[in-house]
Amino acid sequence: MVAWLKSLNIVPIAYSPCGRVGAEYFATEESTKHPYVIELAEKYKKTPVQILLAWGLCREYCVIPKASSNGH
């Protein structure tokens, strides 16, 4: 699917690349607390959020994370 979109010059957008924290309908755990994400963060000495954002950027997605405050 992504290759097809790219062939049409359409860039996939990740609106919630770090998961939907606190959403009632979101049944799984927060992405930043997933054991594999934490393992990669420790291995590369980065934060879990940096790992998740890099994953999307390396795949040439437009990554739009939510900011928790105006300062961010």
Side-chain angles (χ1 to χ4, degrees), residues 2-58:
V2 174
W4 177 71
L5 290 173
K6 289 182 180 181
S7 73
L8 298 172
N9 292 322
I10 298 172
V11 178
I13 299 175
Y15 284 101
S16 297
C18 302
R20 294 184 176 264
V21 179
E24 292 179 20
Y25 60 87
F26 196 64
T28 60
E29 66 184 55
E30 183 180 337
S31 299
T32 58
K33 295 180 182 173
H34 190 281
Y36 188 64
V37 173
I38 292 172
E39 179 184 330
L40 290 172
E42 291 171 354
K43 178 180 178 180
Y44 293 106
K45 296 179 177 40
K46 303 292 179 192
T47 67
V49 171
Q50 288 174 311
I51 295 296
L52 293 169
L53 295 177
W55 183 89
L57 291 172
C58 286

